[in-house]
Amino acid sequence: MIQPSTLPGMMELLPEDQMVFDTIKRRIEDVFIKNAFFSIDTPAIEKLDVLLSKGGGETSKQVYRIDSSKKNQGLRFDLTVPLAKYVSMYMQDLAFPFRRYQIAKVYRGERNQKGRYKEFYQCDIDIIGNEKLSLYNDAEIVKCMYEALKSIDVPDFEFQFNNRKILNGYFSYLGIEDFESCLRIIDKLDKIGIDNVKEELSKLNLDDEKIDSILNFLKIDGTNLEIIEKLESLNIDNELFVCGLEELKFVYDDILSLGVSPDNIKINLSITRGLDYYTGSVFETFFKEYREIGSICSGGRYDSLANNFTKSKLPGVGMSIGLTRLFYQLQELNLVKGQQTNFDCIIIPMKGYEKNAVKLMNDLRSSSVRCMSYLEDDKLKKKFNYADKLSVKYVIIIGQDEIEQNKFTLRNMENGNQELLELNQIIEKLK
Amino acid sequence: MIQPSTLPGMMELLPEDQMVFDTIKRRIEDVFIKNAFFSIDTPAIEKLDVLLSKGGGETSKQVYRIDSSKKNQGLRFDLTVPLAKYVSMYMQDLAFPFRRYQIAKVYRGERNQKGRYKEFYQCDIDIIGNEKLSLYNDAEIVKCMYEALKSIDVPDFEFQFNNRKILNGYFSYLGIEDFESCLRIIDKLDKIGIDNVKEELSKLNLDDEKIDSILNFLKIDGTNLEIIEKLESLNIDNELFVCGLEELKFVYDDILSLGVSPDNIKINLSITRGLDYYTGSVFETFFKEYREIGSICSGGRYDSLANNFTKSKLPGVGMSIGLTRLFYQLQELNLVKGQQTNFDCIIIPMKGYEKNAVKLMNDLRSSSVRCMSYLEDDKLKKKFNYADKLSVKYVIIIGQDEIEQNKFTLRNMENGNQELLELNQIIEKLK
């Protein structure tokens, strides 16, 4: 006898929670489809050299490698590397801009930690251009994620966004060369606070004046329009900065004209997305009242999706929801609600009336009522316990009385009310 | 630079095929949901001792094992073992009969072979009882798969079914003790033919009379009712046989009363399902005109789902569609059709009318028209090529003329017809 158990760090839900999870996942997918993104379904196992094409780093240590004779294989740790592979491989067959979504599990052998998962769903959308890609796409991505988050009924949220060219242009204007280290430090502002950012910046051998300039720059705040005005009034004479500011304004305007409420979008100059991947727009998304749980949907613009795989320049923009972690957090905050779609009723026959229950089940199902019959040879009490355990709202009872009158007893399990009804009345009520 | 490539034995589709695959997968899932099955989503990685709890055999050689520090982990090779684990672990929380579905990828390190996949989707439904489970469930499973297959528009098919107790009872009646070896040989009838079955049976040290009896038994044919009559008229005095025949009749009747057409169900006494797992009803499903591709949906009744994990007796019945292989076969036979759901139209603005295109896209999407705008700064020809490549039926053109008249040009890409229409006329047309 073997002790049945699931590996730590894997989310495995009971059916009622799974139903909610599935509903959320499907609503997100429906929004992606409605917004004219195409699905791809790459394998979970890839060649290691493909997976690690961007070189080492933290992630490579977390890759699940396949054993023995399949040494050169591993499990994907994100959906971006497989996308880069896919686009490079099938470039001739794809129409650009290529709009793809993928909702799938990825694998990271992180150490065990509450709320961190080794297997988790990512919901990715990206638009990839061949050689060039208009800025309209940056706004499209945000609009699509806006609809996706609205569709799953989460707490009020805010896209915070920025443009890396603004920061890099400003660094360049200040005469700072090591953009990346600066970005990485600023990215931690939320976690470590302004004093620690100051201290870390000083370790980069920046003089106090420059550090103060950076900190003052990061403090620029107000409404979105005020921030834009303040940035303009700085009159920074740097091409990259000016370009970044133009892009920021264009994308912001376009996001609004796509119908995203101004309440849900906020320019934040300290958003950098630590990784060196992004080159223009950068986005993070926070619940307004639960900022401490971190970004629930992030992404941005990159100049080149796949320069490890192809010489073609493939600029793109994308965002991703970490669905497993999001679901965990919603559960922790007791914010999972309403998204459930249980089935409509259970038919309970008295002993000897099983075949009548089967017939009724057929009739109800062909009228699109989602139902089942309890056909085990059990006591009535046990049958009702089953309906209770599944939290079904209605039970239909069939016995001699019902058959004689060609009616059925419909019992509302929430308040115990019973009615004797004809088939079409029941269908009416359950639909 | 790394050569981008996908591992052999992995199905990776282009977007237009993927759309068809996704549609099929979703339709199957919708039928499972409608039939009141609950989804579970177990992790792809499990402990090796859980995966291999049933002991060695062919499958254990094909398990993808995780490398190095995670030596005790591997990828699931089916969805039944994870189900057994799940039910054993959460028995206290589940309501029995537990009706679960799972549509997910499984992994088998088979050798490379055309049409065989190392990663493939299984679509499983099972109903698990605690200690007992009525025969009604055998028919429910068939009915659900019937609807699933009907929903995806495959060629005409036939469930072939049998009951193992009939065969085992007959062997017992003949005084044969090694049931399993006999079943395994008979299971190969379709592949190796009657003569080879005869030869293999003779290797089991059965005398000619018994072999002839078995072969004559397997030849029993006719309509379903004729087969049942012939079996009854044999007057076999064996408890197991009699029980099997009763079960067969009950399940057959119930399948019909659930609305499965008699044309789609056929008793076949040589169906055994080689594995020693099943104990009652056994099912295989064939395309009537393409029997050579083998069973597309198989399963049956088992006495005990999880006796490696728990002392509780968990009888169950289930069937499974191997979706990846089925899709491959439908493609090979050129039978994939009509299931596609592309988006409805692409909006193509003349240079300078991009913002009008964005506005129109918004308006159309809020009327549930699935559309996108082509907003790259390209020549008109390139924009139309894009629409061609995506096989979109309609293109909407916006330029000066259109804006002045507050109308839009709708072009049917199939016949080249163009009309100048108002927004609500376009919505009417595209919905």
Side-chain angles (χ1 to χ4, degrees):
Chain A
M1 195 79 83
I2 288 148
Q3 179 66 32
S5 67
T6 299
L7 285 162
M10 305 290 178
M11 180 179 274
E12 191 168 68
L13 301 169
L14 285 171
E16 59 191 83
D17 288 330
Q18 189 64 53
M19 224 172 344
V20 181
F21 187 94
D22 289 357
T23 306
I24 291 176
K25 182 153 74 74
R26 188 180 271 216
R27 286 194 191 166
I28 293 172
E29 181 168 25
D30 284 341
V31 169
F32 291 174
I33 293 172
K34 185 182 152 224
N35 280 270
F37 285 83
F38 290 97
S39 147
I40 70 172
D41 188 2
T42 60
I45 308 175
E46 298 273 10
K47 290 185 183 169
L48 269 186
D49 62 354
V50 165
L51 287 179
L52 303 177
S53 55
K54 295 235 164 178
E58 231 2 77
T59 326
S60 80
K61 289 181 205 148
Q62 299 179 346
V63 169
Y64 279 93
R65 287 149 205 257
I66 304 295
D67 198 15
S68 71
S69 61
K70 303 175 192 78
K71 258 202 192 335
N72 60 341
Q73 304 178 15
L75 300 182
R76 63 180 168 219
F77 55 88
D78 72 8
L79 302 176
T80 306
V81 174
L83 171 66
K85 178 209 73 173
Y86 185 93
V87 176
S88 315
M89 277 178 75
Y90 306 114
M91 210 175 321
Q92 298 312 316
D93 301 301
L94 300 174
F96 291 92
F98 175 52
R99 307 159 66 92
R100 92 85 175 78
Y101 80 84
Q102 185 165 13
I103 298 177
K105 286 175 172 178
V106 302
Y107 299 87
R108 295 189 192 171
E110 296 195 66
R111 68 195 166 78
N112 293 329
Q113 207 182 332
K114 192 165 155 37
R116 303 293 287 181
Y117 291 94
K118 293 175 182 168
E119 177 190 72
F120 56 98
Y121 278 98
Q122 286 194 331
C123 309
D124 277 26
I125 46 172
D126 285 86
I127 305 178
I128 312 296
N130 194 350
E131 297 300 325
K132 63 193 180 63
L133 184 72
S134 87
L135 281 175
Y136 285 106
N137 296 289
D138 298 44
E140 265 256 45
I141 291 284
V142 174
K143 171 63 185 330
C144 183
M145 282 305 192
Y146 173 78
E147 276 186 43
L149 292 172
K150 287 279 180 190
S151 78
I152 62 174
D153 226 356
V154 290
D156 198 18
F157 58 88
E158 193 168 68
F159 293 109
Q160 302 208 340
F161 90 114
N162 193 9
N163 190 300
R164 275 226 185 155
K165 288 176 187 158
I166 293 179
L167 284 172
N168 287 337
Y170 190 67
F171 298 148
S172 162
Y173 167 77
L174 292 179
I176 299 170
E177 278 170 15
D178 188 1
F179 297 177
E180 280 187 21
S181 300
C182 283
L183 287 176
R184 230 179 284 261
I185 292 166
I186 292 170
D187 189 45
K188 292 192 274 184
L189 181 59
D190 236 36
K191 281 182 198 143
I192 65 176
I194 194 97
D195 292 340
N196 288 312
V197 165
K198 189 169 179 173
E199 194 184 318
E200 292 214 17
L201 285 174
S202 67
K203 285 183 196 153
L204 295 182
N205 278 329
L206 302 182
D207 60 42
D208 284 356
E209 198 184 335
K210 283 177 183 167
I211 293 177
D212 283 343
S213 298
I214 293 175
L215 295 179
N216 283 330
F217 186 83
L218 295 178
K219 281 181 195 153
I220 294 175
D221 204 0
T223 66
N224 292 322
L225 293 181
E226 283 166 1
I227 293 174
I228 289 173
E229 268 174 36
K230 285 179 193 169
L231 289 174
E232 282 174 334
S233 69
L234 291 177
N235 282 316
I236 305 287
D237 182 19
N238 175 283
E239 210 180 328
L240 196 59
F241 182 93
V242 171
C243 170
L245 184 51
E246 283 309 306
E247 289 188 12
L248 186 83
K249 283 156 61 184
F250 184 96
V251 173
Y252 178 66
D253 280 350
D254 198 30
I255 287 172
L256 293 187
S257 65
L258 281 168
V260 174
S261 160
D263 292 342
N264 294 108
I265 177 96
K266 179 78 176 73
I267 298 169
N268 179 340
L269 296 179
S270 70
I271 295 292
T272 76
R273 307 285 303 131
L275 308 157
D276 51 10
Y277 189 59
Y278 297 106
T279 50
S281 302
V282 281
F283 306 100
E284 298 198 339
T285 316
F286 300 94
F287 291 141
K288 288 180 183 173
E289 291 184 21
Y290 308 93
R291 203 187 148 100
E292 67 278 10
I293 70 173
S295 176
I296 56 159
C297 176
S298 310
R301 157 75 72 144
Y302 38 90
D303 276 345
S304 189
L305 173 71
N307 51 10
N308 306 296
F309 296 133
T310 173
K311 283 175 188 158
S312 304
K313 199 183 156 209
L314 299 169
V317 56
M319 286 179 88
S320 175
I321 299 173
L323 185 57
T324 303
R325 187 163 164 74
L326 173 60
F327 185 78
Y328 165 81
Q329 285 161 330
L330 291 174
Q331 274 190 321
E332 287 288 295
L333 295 168
N334 219 359
L335 292 171
V336 172
K337 53 175 183 195
Q339 301 96 334
Q340 198 156 340
T341 49
N342 206 332
F343 51 94
D344 305 317
C345 79
I346 294 181
I347 302 163
I348 293 186
M350 309 301 253
K351 203 177 179 70
Y353 294 87
E354 287 80 5
K355 291 204 184 293
N356 305 87
V358 170
K359 184 173 177 324
L360 176 61
M361 177 171 73
N362 272 347
D363 292 342
L364 289 175
R365 283 186 184 164
S366 37
S367 298
S368 292
V369 173
R370 211 190 294 178
C371 63
M372 61 162 289
S373 296
Y374 191 96
L375 299 169
E376 305 308 303
D377 182 16
D378 288 318
K379 296 231 167 74
L380 202 58
K381 186 165 187 304
K382 196 168 172 192
K383 296 180 182 181
F384 274 102
N385 283 346
Y386 184 77
D388 269 337
K389 199 156 185 178
L390 292 182
S391 311
V392 169
K393 188 169 174 194
Y394 288 105
V395 160
I396 299 173
I397 304 153
I398 308 184
Q400 194 179 345
D401 288 357
E402 284 81 4
I403 293 305
E404 278 171 3
Q405 299 182 58
N406 198 23
K407 290 186 175 175
F408 307 98
T409 300
L410 183 72
R411 183 190 174 97
N412 182 324
M413 294 295 279
E414 285 167 8
N415 58 25
N417 287 350
Q418 293 200 170
E419 292 175 279
L420 198 63
L421 299 172
E422 288 176 7
L423 177 63
N424 51 16
Q425 291 174 305
I426 287 187
I427 291 171
E428 194 77 7
K429 198 127 188 170
L430 292 186
K431 273 174 86 169
Chain B
M1 194 81 80
I2 288 149
Q3 179 67 31
S5 67
T6 298
L7 286 162
M10 304 290 177
M11 179 177 277
E12 190 168 70
L13 301 168
L14 284 171
E16 59 192 82
D17 288 331
Q18 189 65 51
M19 223 170 349
V20 181
F21 188 95
D22 289 356
T23 307
I24 291 176
K25 182 154 73 74
R26 188 180 271 217
R27 286 195 191 162
I28 292 173
E29 180 166 24
D30 283 341
V31 169
F32 291 174
I33 292 172
K34 185 180 152 225
N35 279 270
F37 286 83
F38 290 97
S39 147
I40 70 171
D41 187 1
T42 60
I45 308 175
E46 297 272 11
K47 289 184 183 171
L48 269 185
D49 63 353
V50 166
L51 287 178
L52 303 176
S53 55
K54 294 233 163 177
E58 232 3 75
T59 326
S60 79
K61 290 180 205 149
Q62 297 178 347
V63 169
Y64 279 94
R65 287 152 205 253
I66 304 295
D67 196 17
S68 70
S69 60
K70 304 172 192 80
K71 258 204 192 335
N72 60 339
Q73 305 180 14
L75 299 182
R76 62 181 168 215
F77 56 88
D78 72 6
L79 301 176
T80 305
V81 174
L83 172 65
K85 176 209 73 173
Y86 185 93
V87 176
S88 315
M89 276 178 75
Y90 306 114
M91 209 174 323
Q92 297 314 316
D93 301 300
L94 301 174
F96 290 93
F98 174 52
R99 307 158 64 91
R100 93 83 174 79
Y101 80 85
Q102 185 165 14
I103 298 178
K105 287 175 170 178
V106 303
Y107 300 87
R108 294 188 193 172
E110 296 196 66
R111 68 193 166 79
N112 292 329
Q113 207 181 334
K114 193 168 153 41
R116 303 293 289 182
Y117 292 94
K118 294 175 181 167
E119 175 190 73
F120 56 97
Y121 278 98
Q122 286 195 330
C123 310
D124 277 28
I125 46 173
D126 285 86
I127 306 177
I128 313 295
N130 193 352
E131 296 300 325
K132 65 194 179 60
L133 183 73
S134 89
L135 281 174
Y136 284 106
N137 296 290
D138 297 43
E140 264 256 47
I141 290 283
V142 173
K143 170 64 185 331
C144 183
M145 282 303 192
Y146 174 77
E147 276 186 42
L149 291 172
K150 286 280 181 193
S151 78
I152 61 173
D153 226 358
V154 291
D156 198 19
F157 59 89
E158 194 169 68
F159 293 109
Q160 301 208 341
F161 91 113
N162 193 10
N163 190 301
R164 277 229 183 150
K165 289 177 186 156
I166 293 179
L167 284 171
N168 287 337
Y170 189 67
F171 298 147
S172 162
Y173 167 77
L174 292 178
I176 299 171
E177 277 171 13
D178 187 1
F179 297 177
E180 279 187 20
S181 300
C182 283
L183 286 177
R184 230 179 284 260
I185 293 167
I186 292 169
D187 188 47
K188 294 192 275 184
L189 181 59
D190 235 37
K191 280 182 197 143
I192 65 176
I194 194 99
D195 291 342
N196 288 313
V197 165
K198 188 169 180 173
E199 196 183 318
E200 292 214 17
L201 284 175
S202 67
K203 286 182 195 154
L204 293 182
N205 279 330
L206 303 181
D207 61 41
D208 284 355
E209 197 184 332
K210 283 178 184 166
I211 291 177
D212 282 344
S213 298
I214 293 174
L215 295 180
N216 284 330
F217 186 83
L218 294 179
K219 281 182 194 151
I220 293 174
D221 203 1
T223 65
N224 292 323
L225 292 181
E226 282 166 3
I227 293 174
I228 289 171
E229 268 174 32
K230 285 178 192 168
L231 289 173
E232 281 174 333
S233 69
L234 290 177
N235 282 319
I236 305 289
D237 181 18
N238 174 284
E239 209 180 326
L240 196 59
F241 182 94
V242 171
C243 170
L245 184 50
E246 283 309 306
E247 288 188 9
L248 186 84
K249 283 156 60 183
F250 184 95
V251 173
Y252 177 67
D253 281 349
D254 197 31
I255 288 172
L256 294 186
S257 64
L258 281 169
V260 174
S261 160
D263 292 341
N264 294 108
I265 178 98
K266 179 81 176 71
I267 298 170
N268 179 342
L269 297 179
S270 70
I271 295 292
T272 76
R273 309 283 304 129
L275 309 158
D276 51 11
Y277 188 61
Y278 297 106
T279 49
S281 302
V282 280
F283 306 101
E284 297 198 340
T285 316
F286 300 94
F287 290 141
K288 287 179 182 171
E289 293 186 21
Y290 308 94
R291 203 187 147 99
E292 66 278 9
I293 70 173
S295 176
I296 55 159
C297 175
S298 310
R301 157 76 72 147
Y302 38 89
D303 276 345
S304 189
L305 172 71
N307 52 11
N308 306 296
F309 296 132
T310 171
K311 282 176 188 158
S312 303
K313 199 182 156 210
L314 299 169
V317 56
M319 285 179 89
S320 175
I321 298 174
L323 185 58
T324 302
R325 187 164 165 73
L326 173 60
F327 185 79
Y328 165 82
Q329 285 159 331
L330 291 173
Q331 274 190 322
E332 287 288 294
L333 295 168
N334 218 0
L335 291 171
V336 172
K337 55 178 180 191
Q339 301 97 333
Q340 197 156 340
T341 48
N342 205 332
F343 52 93
D344 304 315
C345 78
I346 294 181
I347 302 163
I348 292 186
M350 310 300 252
K351 201 174 178 67
Y353 294 86
E354 288 81 7
K355 291 205 184 291
N356 305 88
V358 170
K359 183 175 179 322
L360 176 61
M361 178 172 75
N362 271 349
D363 292 342
L364 290 175
R365 282 185 185 163
S366 36
S367 297
S368 293
V369 174
R370 211 192 291 178
C371 62
M372 60 162 288
S373 297
Y374 190 97
L375 298 170
E376 303 308 304
D377 182 17
D378 288 318
K379 295 231 167 74
L380 202 58
K381 187 165 187 302
K382 196 168 171 193
K383 297 180 181 180
F384 275 101
N385 283 346
Y386 185 77
D388 269 337
K389 199 156 185 177
L390 292 182
S391 311
V392 170
K393 191 171 172 195
Y394 288 105
V395 161
I396 298 174
I397 304 155
I398 308 184
Q400 195 182 347
D401 288 357
E402 285 80 5
I403 294 306
E404 278 170 5
Q405 298 181 59
N406 198 20
K407 290 184 174 176
F408 307 97
T409 301
L410 183 72
R411 182 190 175 97
N412 182 325
M413 296 294 281
E414 285 168 7
N415 58 25
N417 287 347
Q418 292 198 172
E419 291 175 280
L420 197 63
L421 299 172
E422 288 175 8
L423 177 63
N424 52 17
Q425 292 174 304
I426 288 188
I427 291 170
E428 195 77 7
K429 198 125 188 173
L430 293 185
K431 273 178 84 171

